[in-house]
Amino acid sequence: MNTSEIIIIGTAVMLTLGILVVVLVIFQQKEVIQHKLVLRDKDLILQQERLVAILQGQELERKRIAEDLHDEVGAQLSVLKLNLNQLQPLLKTGHNEQEQLKETKDFTDTIIQQLRFISQSLHPQALENLGLSQALDSFCNLMNKNKTVLVDYKDDGNQYPVEKEKALNIYRIVQELINNILKHAQATHVQITYNSSPSVLNITVEDNGNGQLLQSLDISRKKTGSLGLKNIESRLNIIGGTIRYLPGSTGGTIAEIRVENYQTA
Amino acid sequence: MANNIKVAIADDHKIFRSGVINTLTPYENISVIFEADDGVHLLQLMETQQPDVILMDLKMPNMDGIEATKRVREKYTHVKVIVLTMYEDDNFIVHLIENGANAYLLKNAEPGEIYEAICTSHEKGFYFNENVNLALLKKVMVKNKQHFKPTFKNEIQFTDREMEVLKLICNECTTQEISEKIFLSPRTVEGLRQKLLEKTGAKNIVGLVIYAFRNGFME
């Protein structure tokens, strides 16, 4: 064997070894990345599960408070008013007693009214009994009683049943959108439209405000955005829905919610 | 004044039931014959004795007032149901009226109104206050705007007489009052009333009134 042969064989062996090492390293790295990806996926799932649990816990708590307020305190206030009524024939006349009693009764009514508003905002009873579309309509009625902005509601008359969890999340999203409009948009009129086919549910919320919502949206996406908008995104994430924001025809903003496979299985 | 009206109360709050009973005590033509804790209890008690009028809460354990109203309507057609609830919600009002409630009151209603609702629904078959009228009217207007076609459903044709009676019924007139107004005997009016029910397919006067509103006979 001469030296040149030894050199060639040596080089070949070295090269093979080198390639083998490189291949092994690449392979190893791929494994590591794969492993990391799996971990991240697991983490994401865990995060999602945690979020769902937090939101569910929050809803449960809200429901409990709303029911306690509405059923217990409400019943007691109603009795209070009935009792006040019984005082009427016992009153002496001449020193404003009648007026004072009336004022007290009116005041009780005001408290009851506020109680209704608080408990319905906390937990929409109509959602359980009458379904999403009617609950949204009731929500609009409630807003119209208490706020300066006029909220109109229109549905397509289709009554496809919406899965319970999805319905509650969609309800909260619309509620959040309206809250945002009240806070930022300076709108006087909001139109909510409910459209459904057997496979897709579309809800649009259009305001006639200043369109600031679109800008604040961009800003909040870049920075650590507003809690409300984050809330909307997470809820959509959970139910597998999407939202689009478009400039409205009258200078305001249109929010388009779209949820597929929304019906009760 | 109408003779003795038998009333039952279904509500899961004892304190509220007592309050209502105290409120009704001064009215001599009303006697509360029993109280029930929930819908199941109510139906159970009704197997042995039936009231003329039920004061029905909506939110109750075991069986709520919505379901109980439906059951009562199915089984005891003559018993009147007055919903007495904390829920002030047009959609609940329409839903309950459509399912056979004869009146819808809020729990903080004046005692006088509770009394009036009991007497009126007992005599005329229903008592609609402003809340109910507005809720039904709103529904009608929304329906008209959207997918409702204001034609005569199934080509129902009313005679002039029937239209007249229908309008008077919607204005809460009794058979007696209608017969005085349009100079027909009460028997003829009763016949026209029956005819209206047959033509519209309504089960009772409340259904007929809803039909009239929905189809734009009332403005």
mmCIF file of all heavy atoms in Angstrom, chain A residues 67 70-72 78-79 81-82 85-86 105 109 112-113 116 125 130 134 137-138 141 154-155, chain B residues 13 15-16 19-20 22-23 59 64 66 86-89 91-92 95 106-108 110-111 138 146:
data_model
loop_
_atom_site.group_PDB
_atom_site.id
_atom_site.type_symbol
_atom_site.label_atom_id
_atom_site.label_comp_id
_atom_site.label_asym_id
_atom_site.label_seq_id
_atom_site.Cartn_x
_atom_site.Cartn_y
_atom_site.Cartn_z
ATOM 1 N N GLU A 67 -78.321 35.431 40.771
ATOM 2 C CA GLU A 67 -79.504 34.736 41.285
ATOM 3 C C GLU A 67 -79.781 35.100 42.733
ATOM 4 O O GLU A 67 -80.930 35.289 43.123
ATOM 5 C CB GLU A 67 -79.332 33.220 41.124
ATOM 6 C CG GLU A 67 -79.551 32.815 39.684
ATOM 7 C CD GLU A 67 -79.427 31.328 39.469
ATOM 8 O OE1 GLU A 67 -78.999 30.614 40.400
ATOM 9 O OE2 GLU A 67 -79.735 30.895 38.353
ATOM 10 N N HIS A 70 -81.214 38.607 42.591
ATOM 11 C CA HIS A 70 -82.514 38.662 41.940
ATOM 12 C C HIS A 70 -83.573 37.920 42.735
ATOM 13 O O HIS A 70 -84.647 38.443 43.015
ATOM 14 C CB HIS A 70 -82.367 38.049 40.556
ATOM 15 C CG HIS A 70 -83.454 38.411 39.633
ATOM 16 N ND1 HIS A 70 -84.547 37.614 39.451
ATOM 17 C CD2 HIS A 70 -83.627 39.489 38.853
ATOM 18 C CE1 HIS A 70 -85.349 38.195 38.587
ATOM 19 N NE2 HIS A 70 -84.825 39.329 38.204
ATOM 20 N N ASP A 71 -83.248 36.703 43.152
ATOM 21 C CA ASP A 71 -84.256 35.872 43.805
ATOM 22 C C ASP A 71 -84.441 36.231 45.273
ATOM 23 O O ASP A 71 -85.556 36.443 45.732
ATOM 24 C CB ASP A 71 -83.887 34.388 43.678
ATOM 25 C CG ASP A 71 -83.774 33.985 42.216
ATOM 26 O OD1 ASP A 71 -84.133 34.808 41.361
ATOM 27 O OD2 ASP A 71 -83.333 32.871 41.928
ATOM 28 N N GLU A 72 -83.317 36.295 45.989
ATOM 29 C CA GLU A 72 -83.438 36.507 47.432
ATOM 30 C C GLU A 72 -83.740 37.967 47.762
ATOM 31 O O GLU A 72 -84.791 38.282 48.305
ATOM 32 C CB GLU A 72 -82.134 36.075 48.143
ATOM 33 C CG GLU A 72 -81.748 34.629 47.896
ATOM 34 C CD GLU A 72 -82.819 33.643 48.363
ATOM 35 O OE1 GLU A 72 -83.486 33.934 49.381
ATOM 36 O OE2 GLU A 72 -82.997 32.601 47.701
ATOM 37 N N SER A 78 -89.680 42.987 47.254
ATOM 38 C CA SER A 78 -91.080 42.945 46.822
ATOM 39 C C SER A 78 -92.003 42.866 48.038
ATOM 40 O O SER A 78 -93.042 43.517 48.083
ATOM 41 C CB SER A 78 -91.331 41.751 45.915
ATOM 42 O OG SER A 78 -90.436 41.753 44.843
ATOM 43 N N VAL A 79 -91.602 42.061 49.013
ATOM 44 C CA VAL A 79 -92.397 41.946 50.234
ATOM 45 C C VAL A 79 -92.404 43.284 50.974
ATOM 46 O O VAL A 79 -93.443 43.730 51.474
ATOM 47 C CB VAL A 79 -91.836 40.841 51.150
ATOM 48 C CG1 VAL A 79 -92.598 40.804 52.462
ATOM 49 C CG2 VAL A 79 -91.922 39.499 50.459
ATOM 50 N N LYS A 81 -92.278 46.132 49.697
ATOM 51 C CA LYS A 81 -93.228 47.033 49.050
ATOM 52 C C LYS A 81 -94.677 46.647 49.391
ATOM 53 O O LYS A 81 -95.508 47.522 49.627
ATOM 54 C CB LYS A 81 -93.018 47.028 47.541
ATOM 55 C CG LYS A 81 -93.818 48.144 46.955
ATOM 56 C CD LYS A 81 -93.571 48.476 45.541
ATOM 57 C CE LYS A 81 -94.651 49.453 45.127
ATOM 58 N NZ LYS A 81 -95.010 49.315 43.742
ATOM 59 N N LEU A 82 -94.955 45.351 49.412
ATOM 60 C CA LEU A 82 -96.312 44.911 49.789
ATOM 61 C C LEU A 82 -96.646 45.395 51.205
ATOM 62 O O LEU A 82 -97.750 45.877 51.470
ATOM 63 C CB LEU A 82 -96.418 43.385 49.719
ATOM 64 C CG LEU A 82 -96.431 42.757 48.321
ATOM 65 C CD1 LEU A 82 -96.417 41.242 48.414
ATOM 66 C CD2 LEU A 82 -97.651 43.218 47.531
ATOM 67 N N ASN A 85 -97.485 48.973 51.375
ATOM 68 C CA ASN A 85 -98.849 49.218 50.908
ATOM 69 C C ASN A 85 -99.870 49.026 52.020
ATOM 70 O O ASN A 85 -100.881 49.692 52.072
ATOM 71 C CB ASN A 85 -99.179 48.287 49.757
ATOM 72 C CG ASN A 85 -98.660 48.828 48.456
ATOM 73 O OD1 ASN A 85 -98.924 49.965 48.118
ATOM 74 N ND2 ASN A 85 -97.892 48.032 47.754
ATOM 75 N N GLN A 86 -99.549 48.064 52.908
ATOM 76 C CA GLN A 86 -100.498 47.787 53.980
ATOM 77 C C GLN A 86 -100.559 48.904 55.003
ATOM 78 O O GLN A 86 -101.502 48.981 55.780
ATOM 79 C CB GLN A 86 -100.113 46.477 54.644
ATOM 80 C CG GLN A 86 -100.138 45.346 53.640
ATOM 81 C CD GLN A 86 -100.624 44.067 54.249
ATOM 82 O OE1 GLN A 86 -100.096 43.609 55.236
ATOM 83 N NE2 GLN A 86 -101.655 43.502 53.652
ATOM 84 N N LYS A 105 -92.307 54.184 48.684
ATOM 85 C CA LYS A 105 -92.662 53.116 47.743
ATOM 86 C C LYS A 105 -91.933 53.288 46.409
ATOM 87 O O LYS A 105 -91.392 52.333 45.848
ATOM 88 C CB LYS A 105 -94.177 53.111 47.511
ATOM 89 C CG LYS A 105 -94.912 52.210 48.483
ATOM 90 C CD LYS A 105 -96.407 52.434 48.464
ATOM 91 C CE LYS A 105 -97.016 52.238 47.095
ATOM 92 N NZ LYS A 105 -98.476 52.508 47.133
ATOM 93 N N ASP A 109 -89.234 50.889 44.460
ATOM 94 C CA ASP A 109 -89.304 50.507 43.051
ATOM 95 C C ASP A 109 -87.991 50.790 42.322
ATOM 96 O O ASP A 109 -87.530 49.986 41.514
ATOM 97 C CB ASP A 109 -90.439 51.272 42.345
ATOM 98 C CG ASP A 109 -91.781 50.577 42.563
ATOM 99 O OD1 ASP A 109 -91.782 49.364 42.824
ATOM 100 O OD2 ASP A 109 -92.814 51.254 42.470
ATOM 101 N N ILE A 112 -85.497 48.184 43.200
ATOM 102 C CA ILE A 112 -85.813 46.938 42.508
ATOM 103 C C ILE A 112 -85.386 47.010 41.040
ATOM 104 O O ILE A 112 -84.815 46.080 40.481
ATOM 105 C CB ILE A 112 -87.319 46.612 42.621
ATOM 106 C CG1 ILE A 112 -87.672 46.290 44.081
ATOM 107 C CG2 ILE A 112 -87.697 45.440 41.716
ATOM 108 C CD1 ILE A 112 -89.139 46.044 44.339
ATOM 109 N N GLN A 113 -85.634 48.167 40.435
ATOM 110 C CA GLN A 113 -85.253 48.379 39.038
ATOM 111 C C GLN A 113 -83.741 48.234 38.854
ATOM 112 O O GLN A 113 -83.281 47.582 37.916
ATOM 113 C CB GLN A 113 -85.718 49.791 38.624
ATOM 114 C CG GLN A 113 -85.867 49.996 37.137
ATOM 115 C CD GLN A 113 -86.872 49.039 36.531
ATOM 116 O OE1 GLN A 113 -87.922 48.822 37.113
ATOM 117 N NE2 GLN A 113 -86.549 48.444 35.406
ATOM 118 N N ARG A 116 -82.667 44.683 39.133
ATOM 119 C CA ARG A 116 -82.923 43.953 37.882
ATOM 120 C C ARG A 116 -81.805 44.196 36.885
ATOM 121 O O ARG A 116 -81.307 43.272 36.248
ATOM 122 C CB ARG A 116 -84.224 44.464 37.241
ATOM 123 C CG ARG A 116 -85.438 43.875 37.845
ATOM 124 C CD ARG A 116 -86.614 43.988 36.893
ATOM 125 N NE ARG A 116 -87.821 43.611 37.608
ATOM 126 C CZ ARG A 116 -88.709 44.480 38.069
ATOM 127 N NH1 ARG A 116 -88.581 45.756 37.830
ATOM 128 N NH2 ARG A 116 -89.759 44.065 38.742
ATOM 129 N N GLN A 125 -80.729 35.774 32.140
ATOM 130 C CA GLN A 125 -81.629 34.643 32.353
ATOM 131 C C GLN A 125 -82.296 34.209 31.045
ATOM 132 O O GLN A 125 -82.539 33.037 30.801
ATOM 133 C CB GLN A 125 -82.699 35.025 33.382
ATOM 134 C CG GLN A 125 -83.647 33.907 33.764
ATOM 135 C CD GLN A 125 -82.945 32.739 34.437
ATOM 136 O OE1 GLN A 125 -82.009 32.930 35.200
ATOM 137 N NE2 GLN A 125 -83.380 31.527 34.138
ATOM 138 N N LEU A 130 -84.819 31.277 26.630
ATOM 139 C CA LEU A 130 -85.347 31.662 25.326
ATOM 140 C C LEU A 130 -84.321 31.585 24.198
ATOM 141 O O LEU A 130 -84.665 31.792 23.048
ATOM 142 C CB LEU A 130 -85.907 33.093 25.397
ATOM 143 C CG LEU A 130 -86.913 33.367 26.531
ATOM 144 C CD1 LEU A 130 -87.274 34.847 26.556
ATOM 145 C CD2 LEU A 130 -88.167 32.532 26.354
ATOM 146 N N GLN A 134 -83.114 35.802 21.279
ATOM 147 C CA GLN A 134 -84.016 36.567 22.142
ATOM 148 C C GLN A 134 -83.274 37.200 23.315
ATOM 149 O O GLN A 134 -83.637 38.291 23.767
ATOM 150 C CB GLN A 134 -85.142 35.674 22.656
ATOM 151 C CG GLN A 134 -86.023 35.208 21.523
ATOM 152 C CD GLN A 134 -87.447 34.959 21.986
ATOM 153 O OE1 GLN A 134 -87.940 35.600 22.887
ATOM 154 N NE2 GLN A 134 -88.113 34.015 21.359
ATOM 155 N N ASP A 137 -81.817 40.323 22.069
ATOM 156 C CA ASP A 137 -82.891 41.313 21.957
ATOM 157 C C ASP A 137 -83.201 41.916 23.329
ATOM 158 O O ASP A 137 -83.322 43.130 23.471
ATOM 159 C CB ASP A 137 -84.133 40.651 21.346
ATOM 160 C CG ASP A 137 -85.261 41.648 21.143
ATOM 161 O OD1 ASP A 137 -84.978 42.767 20.682
ATOM 162 O OD2 ASP A 137 -86.421 41.322 21.462
ATOM 163 N N SER A 138 -83.294 41.048 24.338
ATOM 164 C CA SER A 138 -83.550 41.523 25.698
ATOM 165 C C SER A 138 -82.425 42.431 26.180
ATOM 166 O O SER A 138 -82.665 43.442 26.838
ATOM 167 C CB SER A 138 -83.683 40.348 26.663
ATOM 168 O OG SER A 138 -84.803 39.579 26.334
ATOM 169 N N ASN A 141 -82.952 45.805 24.751
ATOM 170 C CA ASN A 141 -84.008 46.504 25.486
ATOM 171 C C ASN A 141 -83.467 47.100 26.777
ATOM 172 O O ASN A 141 -83.780 48.235 27.127
ATOM 173 C CB ASN A 141 -85.146 45.537 25.846
ATOM 174 C CG ASN A 141 -85.919 45.107 24.624
ATOM 175 O OD1 ASN A 141 -85.872 45.773 23.593
ATOM 176 N ND2 ASN A 141 -86.611 43.987 24.722
ATOM 177 N N LYS A 154 -82.035 43.225 15.092
ATOM 178 C CA LYS A 154 -82.787 42.595 14.007
ATOM 179 C C LYS A 154 -82.305 41.159 13.846
ATOM 180 O O LYS A 154 -81.105 40.911 13.743
ATOM 181 C CB LYS A 154 -82.529 43.367 12.711
ATOM 182 C CG LYS A 154 -83.730 43.348 11.769
ATOM 183 C CD LYS A 154 -83.571 44.393 10.686
ATOM 184 C CE LYS A 154 -82.644 43.887 9.591
ATOM 185 N NZ LYS A 154 -82.336 44.898 8.589
ATOM 186 N N ASP A 155 -83.230 40.207 13.845
ATOM 187 C CA ASP A 155 -82.786 38.848 13.538
ATOM 188 C C ASP A 155 -83.523 38.337 12.301
ATOM 189 O O ASP A 155 -84.471 38.954 11.826
ATOM 190 C CB ASP A 155 -82.932 37.901 14.739
ATOM 191 C CG ASP A 155 -84.384 37.524 15.015
ATOM 192 O OD1 ASP A 155 -85.265 37.935 14.248
ATOM 193 O OD2 ASP A 155 -84.623 36.835 16.005
ATOM 194 N N HIS B 13 -90.543 31.324 47.461
ATOM 195 C CA HIS B 13 -90.230 32.115 48.655
ATOM 196 C C HIS B 13 -91.448 32.242 49.561
ATOM 197 O O HIS B 13 -92.407 32.918 49.210
ATOM 198 C CB HIS B 13 -89.731 33.500 48.260
ATOM 199 C CG HIS B 13 -88.372 33.472 47.656
ATOM 200 N ND1 HIS B 13 -88.177 33.309 46.303
ATOM 201 C CD2 HIS B 13 -87.144 33.552 48.213
ATOM 202 C CE1 HIS B 13 -86.879 33.296 46.063
ATOM 203 N NE2 HIS B 13 -86.231 33.447 47.200
ATOM 204 N N ILE B 15 -91.794 33.845 52.281
ATOM 205 C CA ILE B 15 -92.011 35.213 52.736
ATOM 206 C C ILE B 15 -92.821 36.001 51.702
ATOM 207 O O ILE B 15 -93.701 36.787 52.044
ATOM 208 C CB ILE B 15 -90.656 35.906 53.063
ATOM 209 C CG1 ILE B 15 -90.885 37.371 53.440
ATOM 210 C CG2 ILE B 15 -89.671 35.805 51.945
ATOM 211 C CD1 ILE B 15 -89.650 38.071 53.948
ATOM 212 N N PHE B 16 -92.551 35.735 50.422
ATOM 213 C CA PHE B 16 -93.316 36.446 49.394
ATOM 214 C C PHE B 16 -94.765 35.947 49.333
ATOM 215 O O PHE B 16 -95.698 36.734 49.194
ATOM 216 C CB PHE B 16 -92.643 36.299 48.022
ATOM 217 C CG PHE B 16 -93.346 37.088 46.955
ATOM 218 C CD1 PHE B 16 -93.224 38.462 46.894
ATOM 219 C CD2 PHE B 16 -94.167 36.456 46.024
ATOM 220 C CE1 PHE B 16 -93.893 39.199 45.936
ATOM 221 C CE2 PHE B 16 -94.839 37.181 45.061
ATOM 222 C CZ PHE B 16 -94.702 38.561 45.012
ATOM 223 N N GLY B 19 -96.615 37.522 52.019
ATOM 224 C CA GLY B 19 -96.864 38.924 51.687
ATOM 225 C C GLY B 19 -98.065 39.076 50.774
ATOM 226 O O GLY B 19 -98.916 39.948 50.991
ATOM 227 N N VAL B 20 -98.138 38.223 49.766
ATOM 228 C CA VAL B 20 -99.247 38.312 48.815
ATOM 229 C C VAL B 20 -100.570 37.961 49.512
ATOM 230 O O VAL B 20 -101.588 38.629 49.317
ATOM 231 C CB VAL B 20 -99.019 37.357 47.613
ATOM 232 C CG1 VAL B 20 -100.250 37.314 46.718
ATOM 233 C CG2 VAL B 20 -97.824 37.819 46.809
ATOM 234 N N ASN B 22 -101.333 38.286 52.669
ATOM 235 C CA ASN B 22 -101.716 39.438 53.498
ATOM 236 C C ASN B 22 -102.353 40.529 52.659
ATOM 237 O O ASN B 22 -103.327 41.158 53.059
ATOM 238 C CB ASN B 22 -100.497 40.021 54.208
ATOM 239 C CG ASN B 22 -100.109 39.183 55.399
ATOM 240 O OD1 ASN B 22 -100.952 38.448 55.939
ATOM 241 N ND2 ASN B 22 -98.858 39.261 55.804
ATOM 242 N N THR B 23 -101.748 40.753 51.490
ATOM 243 C CA THR B 23 -102.252 41.806 50.617
ATOM 244 C C THR B 23 -103.667 41.505 50.131
ATOM 245 O O THR B 23 -104.474 42.410 49.950
ATOM 246 C CB THR B 23 -101.320 41.933 49.394
ATOM 247 O OG1 THR B 23 -100.007 42.131 49.868
ATOM 248 C CG2 THR B 23 -101.715 43.091 48.514
ATOM 249 N N LYS B 59 -89.198 31.817 38.243
ATOM 250 C CA LYS B 59 -87.989 31.105 38.657
ATOM 251 C C LYS B 59 -88.290 30.278 39.897
ATOM 252 O O LYS B 59 -88.471 30.817 40.978
ATOM 253 C CB LYS B 59 -86.919 32.155 38.949
ATOM 254 C CG LYS B 59 -85.570 31.594 39.245
ATOM 255 C CD LYS B 59 -84.696 31.632 38.011
ATOM 256 C CE LYS B 59 -83.444 30.822 38.186
ATOM 257 N NZ LYS B 59 -82.326 31.603 38.692
ATOM 258 N N ASP B 64 -89.924 25.101 36.733
ATOM 259 C CA ASP B 64 -90.115 26.551 36.756
ATOM 260 C C ASP B 64 -91.515 26.937 36.265
ATOM 261 O O ASP B 64 -92.301 26.089 35.839
ATOM 262 C CB ASP B 64 -89.012 27.268 35.960
ATOM 263 C CG ASP B 64 -89.065 26.941 34.483
ATOM 264 O OD1 ASP B 64 -90.121 26.520 33.994
ATOM 265 O OD2 ASP B 64 -88.033 27.108 33.808
ATOM 266 N N ILE B 66 -92.464 28.610 33.698
ATOM 267 C CA ILE B 66 -92.729 28.502 32.262
ATOM 268 C C ILE B 66 -93.305 27.123 31.953
ATOM 269 O O ILE B 66 -94.361 26.984 31.327
ATOM 270 C CB ILE B 66 -91.428 28.728 31.451
ATOM 271 C CG1 ILE B 66 -90.856 30.113 31.751
ATOM 272 C CG2 ILE B 66 -91.697 28.568 29.967
ATOM 273 C CD1 ILE B 66 -89.521 30.401 31.084
ATOM 274 N N MET B 86 -90.163 38.637 38.986
ATOM 275 C CA MET B 86 -89.210 39.755 39.046
ATOM 276 C C MET B 86 -88.712 40.107 37.642
ATOM 277 O O MET B 86 -88.119 41.150 37.432
ATOM 278 C CB MET B 86 -88.001 39.355 39.900
ATOM 279 C CG MET B 86 -88.177 39.506 41.390
ATOM 280 S SD MET B 86 -88.228 41.237 41.872
ATOM 281 C CE MET B 86 -86.495 41.679 41.663
ATOM 282 N N TYR B 87 -88.912 39.191 36.680
ATOM 283 C CA TYR B 87 -88.311 39.412 35.361
ATOM 284 C C TYR B 87 -89.096 40.411 34.526
ATOM 285 O O TYR B 87 -90.215 40.142 34.121
ATOM 286 C CB TYR B 87 -88.180 38.087 34.599
ATOM 287 C CG TYR B 87 -87.118 37.225 35.190
ATOM 288 C CD1 TYR B 87 -87.443 36.106 35.931
ATOM 289 C CD2 TYR B 87 -85.787 37.566 35.041
ATOM 290 C CE1 TYR B 87 -86.460 35.326 36.515
ATOM 291 C CE2 TYR B 87 -84.801 36.794 35.621
ATOM 292 C CZ TYR B 87 -85.136 35.682 36.351
ATOM 293 O OH TYR B 87 -84.159 34.935 36.923
ATOM 294 N N GLU B 88 -88.465 41.542 34.284
ATOM 295 C CA GLU B 88 -89.093 42.544 33.434
ATOM 296 C C GLU B 88 -88.416 42.450 32.072
ATOM 297 O O GLU B 88 -87.365 43.031 31.845
ATOM 298 C CB GLU B 88 -88.895 43.945 34.040
ATOM 299 C CG GLU B 88 -89.622 45.010 33.255
ATOM 300 C CD GLU B 88 -89.447 46.382 33.876
ATOM 301 O OE1 GLU B 88 -88.437 46.611 34.560
ATOM 302 O OE2 GLU B 88 -90.323 47.228 33.660
ATOM 303 N N ASP B 89 -89.004 41.677 31.192
ATOM 304 C CA ASP B 89 -88.348 41.383 29.927
ATOM 305 C C ASP B 89 -89.432 41.083 28.888
ATOM 306 O O ASP B 89 -90.206 40.145 29.030
ATOM 307 C CB ASP B 89 -87.438 40.153 30.133
ATOM 308 C CG ASP B 89 -86.633 39.830 28.880
ATOM 309 O OD1 ASP B 89 -87.141 40.079 27.768
ATOM 310 O OD2 ASP B 89 -85.517 39.316 29.024
ATOM 311 N N ASN B 91 -89.374 39.770 26.063
ATOM 312 C CA ASN B 91 -89.347 38.447 25.447
ATOM 313 C C ASN B 91 -89.968 37.383 26.350
ATOM 314 O O ASN B 91 -90.595 36.447 25.866
ATOM 315 C CB ASN B 91 -87.921 38.068 25.069
ATOM 316 C CG ASN B 91 -87.461 38.851 23.860
ATOM 317 O OD1 ASN B 91 -88.130 38.863 22.834
ATOM 318 N ND2 ASN B 91 -86.341 39.535 23.989
ATOM 319 N N PHE B 92 -89.782 37.558 27.666
ATOM 320 C CA PHE B 92 -90.438 36.650 28.600
ATOM 321 C C PHE B 92 -91.955 36.846 28.534
ATOM 322 O O PHE B 92 -92.717 35.877 28.538
ATOM 323 C CB PHE B 92 -89.945 36.885 30.029
ATOM 324 C CG PHE B 92 -88.762 36.041 30.397
ATOM 325 C CD1 PHE B 92 -87.507 36.613 30.540
ATOM 326 C CD2 PHE B 92 -88.907 34.686 30.584
ATOM 327 C CE1 PHE B 92 -86.406 35.835 30.862
ATOM 328 C CE2 PHE B 92 -87.817 33.894 30.910
ATOM 329 C CZ PHE B 92 -86.560 34.477 31.052
ATOM 330 N N HIS B 95 -93.321 35.282 25.372
ATOM 331 C CA HIS B 95 -93.174 33.833 25.450
ATOM 332 C C HIS B 95 -94.234 33.219 26.365
ATOM 333 O O HIS B 95 -94.850 32.211 26.038
ATOM 334 C CB HIS B 95 -91.776 33.494 25.960
ATOM 335 C CG HIS B 95 -91.472 32.031 25.980
ATOM 336 N ND1 HIS B 95 -91.269 31.307 24.826
ATOM 337 C CD2 HIS B 95 -91.353 31.148 26.990
ATOM 338 C CE1 HIS B 95 -91.030 30.058 25.141
ATOM 339 N NE2 HIS B 95 -91.079 29.928 26.447
ATOM 340 N N LEU B 106 -95.409 42.237 37.408
ATOM 341 C CA LEU B 106 -94.138 42.253 38.106
ATOM 342 C C LEU B 106 -94.397 42.172 39.602
ATOM 343 O O LEU B 106 -95.441 42.607 40.082
ATOM 344 C CB LEU B 106 -93.374 43.535 37.769
ATOM 345 C CG LEU B 106 -92.944 43.620 36.312
ATOM 346 C CD1 LEU B 106 -92.299 44.964 36.044
ATOM 347 C CD2 LEU B 106 -91.977 42.496 35.977
ATOM 348 N N LYS B 107 -93.411 41.636 40.317
ATOM 349 C CA LYS B 107 -93.618 41.424 41.753
ATOM 350 C C LYS B 107 -93.785 42.719 42.520
ATOM 351 O O LYS B 107 -94.356 42.716 43.609
ATOM 352 C CB LYS B 107 -92.465 40.599 42.337
ATOM 353 C CG LYS B 107 -92.665 39.116 42.133
ATOM 354 C CD LYS B 107 -91.709 38.302 42.970
ATOM 355 C CE LYS B 107 -92.022 36.820 42.824
ATOM 356 N NZ LYS B 107 -90.995 35.991 43.448
ATOM 357 N N ASN B 108 -93.271 43.813 41.979
ATOM 358 C CA ASN B 108 -93.481 45.060 42.707
ATOM 359 C C ASN B 108 -94.724 45.815 42.213
ATOM 360 O O ASN B 108 -94.848 47.020 42.387
ATOM 361 C CB ASN B 108 -92.235 45.947 42.657
ATOM 362 C CG ASN B 108 -91.755 46.211 41.255
ATOM 363 O OD1 ASN B 108 -91.841 45.333 40.397
ATOM 364 N ND2 ASN B 108 -91.273 47.401 41.003
ATOM 365 N N GLU B 110 -98.585 47.137 42.250
ATOM 366 C CA GLU B 110 -99.438 47.615 43.339
ATOM 367 C C GLU B 110 -100.460 46.523 43.676
ATOM 368 O O GLU B 110 -100.927 45.813 42.778
ATOM 369 C CB GLU B 110 -100.186 48.876 42.890
ATOM 370 C CG GLU B 110 -99.291 50.067 42.606
ATOM 371 C CD GLU B 110 -98.689 50.645 43.877
ATOM 372 O OE1 GLU B 110 -99.401 50.695 44.897
ATOM 373 O OE2 GLU B 110 -97.499 51.027 43.840
ATOM 374 N N PRO B 111 -100.820 46.398 44.960
ATOM 375 C CA PRO B 111 -101.815 45.396 45.348
ATOM 376 C C PRO B 111 -103.104 45.541 44.544
ATOM 377 O O PRO B 111 -103.716 44.543 44.146
ATOM 378 C CB PRO B 111 -102.074 45.705 46.814
ATOM 379 C CG PRO B 111 -100.861 46.399 47.280
ATOM 380 C CD PRO B 111 -100.307 47.145 46.110
ATOM 381 N N LYS B 138 -94.820 45.511 20.182
ATOM 382 C CA LYS B 138 -93.478 45.608 19.624
ATOM 383 C C LYS B 138 -93.161 44.393 18.773
ATOM 384 O O LYS B 138 -92.613 44.492 17.687
ATOM 385 C CB LYS B 138 -92.462 45.729 20.767
ATOM 386 C CG LYS B 138 -91.549 46.906 20.599
ATOM 387 C CD LYS B 138 -90.561 46.979 21.716
ATOM 388 C CE LYS B 138 -89.500 45.914 21.608
ATOM 389 N NZ LYS B 138 -88.647 45.874 22.808
ATOM 390 N N GLN B 146 -90.316 42.518 9.240
ATOM 391 C CA GLN B 146 -89.417 41.521 8.694
ATOM 392 C C GLN B 146 -90.081 40.529 7.755
ATOM 393 O O GLN B 146 -90.277 40.804 6.594
ATOM 394 C CB GLN B 146 -88.705 40.796 9.829
ATOM 395 C CG GLN B 146 -87.681 41.706 10.460
ATOM 396 C CD GLN B 146 -87.056 41.042 11.662
ATOM 397 O OE1 GLN B 146 -87.188 39.849 11.846
ATOM 398 N NE2 GLN B 146 -86.396 41.821 12.477
#
